[in-house]
Amino acid sequence: MAQGTSEYPDDYLSPAFHAGRRAAFREKMPERSVALFFASPQKVRNNDVNYIYAPSKNLYYLTGLEEPNALLLLFKQPVTLLGKTGTEFLFVQPRNPQREMWTGKILGPAGVMQKYQMENVFTTDQFSGRLLDFAQLDTIMTSFRTEQILFKYPGRGDLLANMAASLDSALLQAGKTPMPSPATAILHQLRGIKQPEEIALMEKVINMSVEGHNRVIRSIRPGMHEYDAQALMEYEFKSRGSEYVGYPSINGSGANSCILHYETNQRTLQDGDLLLNDCGAEYHGYSADVTRTIPVNGKFSTEQKIIYELVLAAQDAAFAVCKPGNQFSDPHNAALKVITAGLKQLGIIQTDNQARIYFPHGTSHHLGLDVHDMGSRSTLQPGMIFTVEPGIYIPPNSNCDKKWWSIGVRIEDDLLITNDGYRNLSAGAPRAVEDIEKMAKAAGKNKKPL
């Protein structure tokens, strides 16, 4: 290891980024208000085994903290709590050497202050709803639905539940009702426009995902399994530093390519199948979302090529309207127009409204800390990152010529809106028929028989 390099990744979002996001949020808050951000609860998978902890993306966005059992309070105007005056107060779990032996280091207030450069950090046992005079506040903002208040503390005794119960009691006593919509509206504005540090992370995670898709194109062949495609894909993600997948990998072959969120991935790949791979890595909390549909034997059949190129034309039409000032719905409308005309020309449908039978989903969604991220669905603006993913899915026994059955095609790319158009961040994975076949053929001589 070179001198001066870190043993761990050093490209996390900076404390200055998170401080800037808190300041931007606070600027949009109404007067005499407080915003409450809880950490996500830990979830049991079975018996005494938890799922891998997934931090609240809103709390992570505002602080960088990835530990459970935390509560962030943001005030519009300065207040005094526990002898400290400010607008930001963070309560975190205390150090516990016995627990840390099993699960790893807990930062505690001192560690959080040092790592994230935050002031006014306390332990959860110092929190009480009585610390806040809710009667003096006009608006109590939350990032959760009121009926979740607050997770209804299912297991009294855990740190998060204790804080939730204490806060709930104080709110009821003050006659105040938390309001999720103001905080949600602010978060949509902020998270929907990516900052330069976020864009850099998105470029990294999308490149990891592109390499996974290219590995599958080069490696897949009849006799392998859908789970082999998943394993190849996720190996590339992990080997490049991805902590998780952004969502369960979709690797559907044959008729399974027509199931939009197919996740079983158990079928044996057959000669003549299409394989739809909808997979994305997650890195430092940010997710990619890329789809490529490829022929298992390296060569599209005539019918597969026709449907594939229709979807590709629809995606190109959607790309053409991805520019600032256009509506978020414009890419979908452009793609739907192309697919509708193409399906009618092929005799697969007879009327325009039947296109939704074979193209049942939207074309775009925001992308970032969540694979279906927060963001405005009105006007496209520079800094937005979103998907463009038209598709056609013709399952067996569809009301059309049998030659089209079991053809499912989706092509999905991740676009950044720029000042004068867009940049395709996932362009490194081939889209055109000839490019996919060329990549598969070039790798063919290295493919060993099963």
Side-chain angles (χ1 to χ4, degrees), residues 32 42 57 90 92 115 147 151 161 204 326 329 346 351:
R32 295 161 55 89
Q42 294 174 297
K57 292 303 179 72
L90 181 62
V92 299
K115 183 172 183 178
E147 63 267 23
F151 324 114
K204 287 185 179 182
N326 282 354
S329 58
L346 294 171
T351 64

Side-chain angles (χ1 to χ4, degrees), residues 73-239:
L73 308 177
L74 292 182
F75 292 88
K76 179 67 172 182
Q77 285 88 17
V79 300
T80 300
L81 298 180
L82 296 170
K84 299 286 188 179
T85 300
T87 57
E88 306 173 354
F89 298 85
L90 181 62
F91 294 84
V92 299
Q93 57 189 351
R95 296 290 305 275
N96 184 330
Q98 184 176 10
R99 182 181 171 195
E100 291 176 47
M101 179 182 290
W102 291 91
T103 60
K105 183 178 179 180
I106 295 171
L107 290 172
V112 169
M113 285 189 282
Q114 179 182 15
K115 183 172 183 178
Y116 301 112
Q117 298 177 21
M118 294 187 68
E119 299 181 0
N120 304 332
V121 183
F122 306 95
T123 55
T124 53
D125 57 356
Q126 294 176 275
F127 177 79
S128 167
R130 294 189 298 273
L131 292 173
L132 288 78
D133 185 1
F134 287 112
Q136 300 302 311
L137 296 170
D138 293 337
T139 308
I140 291 86
M141 306 167 66
T142 69
S143 59
F144 44 82
R145 296 187 301 274
T146 304
E147 63 267 23
Q148 290 178 315
I149 264 266
L150 294 164
F151 324 114
K152 285 300 179 185
Y153 27 92
R156 292 300 294 272
D158 96 17
L159 301 177
L160 199 65
N162 285 342
M163 289 193 294
S166 179
L167 181 60
D168 195 11
S169 176
L171 287 167
L172 290 172
Q173 186 174 356
K176 297 291 186 177
T177 301
M179 300 174 63
S181 54
T184 300
I186 294 172
L187 289 166
H188 273 288
Q189 293 178 51
L190 297 182
R191 285 179 52 179
I193 305 297
K194 303 302 187 281
Q195 303 301 304
E197 284 189 51
E198 294 179 283
I199 293 171
L201 284 181
M202 290 295 293
E203 289 175 326
K204 287 185 179 182
V205 73
I206 292 168
N207 284 335
M208 293 175 187
S209 304
V210 163
E211 290 305 318
H213 281 273
N214 290 347
R215 174 69 177 270
V216 172
I217 294 172
R218 294 185 180 105
S219 304
I220 210 67
R221 63 192 185 278
M224 296 177 73
H225 304 83
E226 292 168 338
Y227 57 72
D228 289 314
Q230 178 181 357
L232 289 165
M233 186 82 65
E234 294 180 11
Y235 170 80
E236 291 297 327
F237 299 170
K238 200 72 173 178
S239 69

